[in-house]
Amino acid sequence: MKERPIDNKRVYIFDTTLRDGEQSPGASLNVSEKLEIAQVLAELGVDIIEAGFPISSEGDFEAVKTIAERVEGPVICGLARALPKDIDRCWEAIRSNPRPRIHTFIATSQVHLEKKLRKSPAEVIELAVEAVKRARGYCENVEFSTEDAARSDRDYICEIIERCIAAGATTINIPDTVGYSNPWEYGGLIEYVFAKAPNVHDAVISVHCHNDLGLAVANSLAAVRAGARQVECTINGIGERAGNTSLEEFVMNLATRHGFFGFHTGIRTEKIFRASRMVSNFTGIVVQPNKAVVGANAFAHEAGIHQDGMIKDKSTYEIMTPESVGWRGQSLVMGKHSGRNAFTKRLQELGFSLSPEQVERAFEEFKELADLKKDVFDEDLEAIAIRVQNLEPEVGAETFSLEYLQTVTSLRERPRAVVSLRCGEEVLDGTATGDGPVDAVCNAIRKITGTPSRMVDYRIAAITGGTDAQGSVSLTLEEVPFRSVGRASGPDIIVASAEAYIMALNILEQKKSSARISSVSVTQP
Ligand code: KIV
Ligand code: ZN
């Protein structure tokens, strides 16, 4: 099955938030978060979801398999190196979906061939062709990527593209893996492929741009003008290093400047903002306020002259409406007198489907927060809903929970923390000092649990403005080869930090014990 557009002005949106996006430093998602994001991407109208890289870990395999089983509509794709074991594993993960795609890749630049693969150009072509054939043995929809294409010899990539299309690839992706190119050069590369690869019209040409020089969206637009009809992108532009082409920016360029570009996508643009918030909440990667399309300031008019113009006629300073991307700014939703029905309705409007017990718990938290904080915003409700969903983490009974916490900070003394953790029937106490109160709390938890893990990432962000804002904490622990991410939020950032740490420790323990169980079952007959 070729995913060729019948309509030559239609650009396919290939979303790789769950694969390349998840390669962003610190962005690790669990299976249920990935599934929720995939469902939102399907509602958004993306054509293809790259759900993960199944051979890379058990967790990734599980996530791709779950998405393939549960998400219908878009093509569900898994990534595989040009190796038989990768392709077999990828197929295992996606086979249950009615529209599966295998995406296989190999590097084509001189530097990658010499230094990374240590293979000759002819050997790489053979591996690519064999990979495409193997993938085609499983499914009709196969994408092949020439990794680091923007730094590859043009004639060489035309040759490998021709051979892979002949072997059955239905989409050919030409990535700017290191974000090195610019619109003139990259558009020229796509034109070159169209001119030199004789069977190029038998496949959809795709582009995948990284943002190292801030040109990923511009390069993707240039490529579309040169003939590409699939664009690979991520929500909020997250991804490896400086990220990937931002879905919302690319799509809104085509929509806002339709008269100039003349292309369209199947994206329901009014669902963009919700997807952006969800990805930011789940990954802990904060969207910069001045980010195009979805940033907090994207539709804010500060200067008096601008405000005056907006009052007279919005078209003076507004090139797209906030409604067209579902942007809702920071809206004051309710106060402490709001009732349960209004609260439940608002959560549904924000896209959360909580069980009656979860709604009950969330409502209690909302009341407590409304007592502490004078204004409660949608963002606060989102944080509560996510917190309540996370109260049922995928961890067993032998886990830690926070029983008591006290910190003392004073001007010329080191901050000190007293912490008690519950583990089953036992309550364990510890005290420690640190460079700051969060450090002191983490040191106390480390002492109590005796964990050898290292904290490799810690981020904190205010959910709304003001000193009474809730803080959202996301941190990553590492105990080689395992990593785990803990997230928590609340009006007290020290408590939120402790909770995020404990969540990450519990998940780490669970990962270690599942690895022990599977290694025992492997050695048993
Ligand atoms: O950046 C890249 O080249 C990739 C490929 C796997 C498509 O992510
Ligand atoms: Zn990439």
Side-chain angles (χ1 to χ4, degrees):
M1 181 194 65
K2 272 192 210 117
E3 289 291 321
R4 285 192 65 72
I6 301 157
D7 162 7
N8 192 38
K9 293 291 181 189
R10 169 78 147 85
V11 177
Y12 283 110
I13 296 297
F14 175 110
D15 183 279
T16 183
T17 305
L18 298 174
R19 200 277 297 169
D20 216 326
E22 214 222 1
Q23 289 172 217
S24 308
S28 175
L29 300 161
N30 64 35
V31 175
S32 62
E33 288 166 337
K34 285 187 184 178
L35 178 62
E36 270 199 65
I37 292 177
Q39 274 151 350
V40 164
L41 292 173
E43 283 171 33
L44 181 63
V46 308
D47 298 288
I48 302 109
I49 295 177
E50 185 163 56
F53 189 0
I55 199 152
S56 68
S57 69
E58 279 304 315
D60 238 38
F61 178 84
E62 208 43 57
V64 178
K65 188 162 178 289
T66 308
I67 291 169
E69 282 163 358
R70 311 261 293 267
V71 179
E72 275 201 26
V75 168
I76 302 297
C77 171
L79 184 68
R81 288 167 299 181
L83 296 173
K85 62 176 184 192
D86 279 41
I87 293 165
D88 298 350
R89 190 78 174 139
C90 180
W91 176 242
E92 255 332 287
I94 59 171
R95 61 186 302 169
S96 63
N97 194 270
R99 302 182 71 203
R101 175 185 290 188
I102 296 176
H103 175 192
T104 184
F105 72 100
I106 195 162
T108 50
S109 63
Q110 191 66 21
V111 59
H112 278 232
L113 259 63
E114 262 176 33
K115 308 273 194 262
K116 186 179 85 174
L117 300 174
R118 305 213 164 104
K119 298 217 178 295
S120 71
E123 282 172 314
V124 164
I125 292 186
E126 278 327 303
L127 285 173
V129 166
E130 285 314 309
V132 169
K133 283 190 183 157
R134 191 175 189 96
R136 273 306 297 257
Y138 289 127
C139 81
E140 290 181 348
N141 193 336
V142 172
E143 173 168 335
F144 172 70
S145 285
T146 52
E147 190 193 6
D148 205 15
R151 293 193 302 167
S152 303
D153 177 81
R154 289 183 171 194
D155 290 319
Y156 178 57
I157 56 173
C158 287
E159 188 184 341
I160 196 166
I161 286 171
E162 184 188 345
R163 295 279 305 277
C164 285
I165 295 176
T170 47
T171 298
I172 294 289
N173 184 37
I174 304 176
D176 180 12
T177 303
V178 290
Y180 181 69
S181 206
N182 58 61
W184 299 271
E185 183 186 64
Y186 195 58
L189 171 63
I190 304 302
E191 276 169 14
Y192 194 84
V193 171
F194 271 99
K196 292 287 167 76
N199 52 2
V200 65
H201 291 284
D202 292 339
V204 172
I205 296 299
S206 166
V207 288
H208 174 113
C209 298
H210 280 269
N211 205 30
D212 299 65
L213 292 171
L215 291 172
V217 172
N219 288 344
S220 304
L221 290 166
V224 166
R225 292 193 82 197
R229 289 294 176 272
Q230 175 181 286
V231 170
E232 305 199 350
C233 40
T234 60
I235 301 289
N236 299 337
I238 62 170
E240 190 77 46
R241 305 182 309 279
N244 290 62
T245 299
S246 138
L247 180 148
E248 59 281 2
E249 292 178 21
F250 174 78
V251 166
M252 289 316 288
N253 264 279
L254 291 193
T256 309
R257 299 301 310 278
H258 186 261
F260 179 81
F261 289 109
F263 295 107
H264 58 272
T265 67
I267 296 296
R268 296 177 196 104
T269 62
E270 66 290 352
K271 300 202 182 268
I272 283 178
F273 192 73
R274 163 144 194 256
S276 162
R277 294 286 316 160
M278 179 180 268
V279 169
S280 171
N281 282 327
F282 284 180
T283 57
I285 300 178
V286 179
V287 173
Q288 76 197 56
N290 59 325
K291 163 94 173 57
V293 184
V294 291
N297 297 344
F299 297 93
H301 301 270
E302 191 72 14
I305 296 175
H306 290 211
Q307 287 171 348
D308 177 54
M310 285 294 288
I311 292 165
K312 289 176 176 148
D313 189 320
K314 288 199 170 164
S315 66
T316 50
Y317 288 102
E318 200 170 77
I319 58 161
M320 58 189 152
T321 64
E323 298 76 37
S324 66
V325 295
W327 193 88
R328 51 180 161 72
Q330 205 178 69
S331 46
L332 175 60
V333 282
M334 333 176 175
K336 61 184 188 180
H337 301 296
S338 305
R340 189 181 267 93
N341 284 348
F343 173 78
T344 313
K345 186 161 169 283
R346 191 68 196 140
L347 281 183
Q348 281 162 354
E349 282 164 3
L350 291 173
F352 290 95
S353 46
L354 304 185
S355 67
E357 300 75 48
Q358 287 174 325
V359 171
E360 207 47 48
R361 214 177 289 157
F363 188 63
E364 274 167 34
E365 280 211 24
F366 160 70
K367 286 282 174 191
E368 278 169 28
L369 185 68
D371 270 338
L372 287 173
K373 203 172 175 283
K374 65 181 187 318
D375 300 329
V376 179
F377 297 96
D378 279 344
E379 287 77 358
D380 291 311
L381 294 194
E382 283 174 347
I384 292 175
I386 291 168
R387 196 152 62 226
V388 163
Q389 283 174 331
N390 277 339
L391 281 179
E392 282 134 45
E394 304 155 49
V395 288
E398 285 308 294
T399 57
F400 295 106
S401 60
L402 186 62
E403 190 81 3
Y404 176 80
L405 185 158
Q406 189 191 50
T407 52
V408 183
T409 51
S410 51
L411 191 54
R412 265 171 276 279
E413 277 169 49
R414 264 170 88 68
R416 188 173 186 78
V418 182
V419 175
S420 302
L421 300 185
R422 174 172 289 282
C423 181
E425 294 299 302
E426 249 185 302
V427 174
L428 309 152
D429 308 307
T431 59
T433 57
D435 293 338
V438 171
D439 193 40
V441 166
C442 293
N443 287 341
I445 295 176
R446 221 168 274 135
K447 244 191 199 172
I448 298 171
T449 59
T451 176
S453 61
R454 227 165 41 91
M455 194 182 295
V456 290
D457 190 46
Y458 172 89
R459 287 158 207 250
I460 182 159
I463 291 175
T464 56
T467 50
D468 63 352
Q470 293 195 78
S472 152
V473 176
S474 163
L475 56 85
T476 307
L477 296 184
E478 183 178 71
E479 194 177 329
V480 178
F482 304 103
R483 268 187 174 217
S484 65
V485 175
R487 277 193 286 273
S489 58
D492 185 324
I493 54 170
I494 297 166
V495 173
S497 301
E499 283 172 343
Y501 194 5
I502 292 164
M503 177 181 171
L505 277 174
N506 286 338
I507 293 171
L508 198 60
E509 278 315 308
Q510 193 208 21
K511 285 190 173 172
K512 281 162 52 185
S513 70
S514 341
R516 276 196 294 273
I517 292 164
S518 57
S519 75
V520 169
S521 58
V522 167
T523 51
Q524 277 168 355

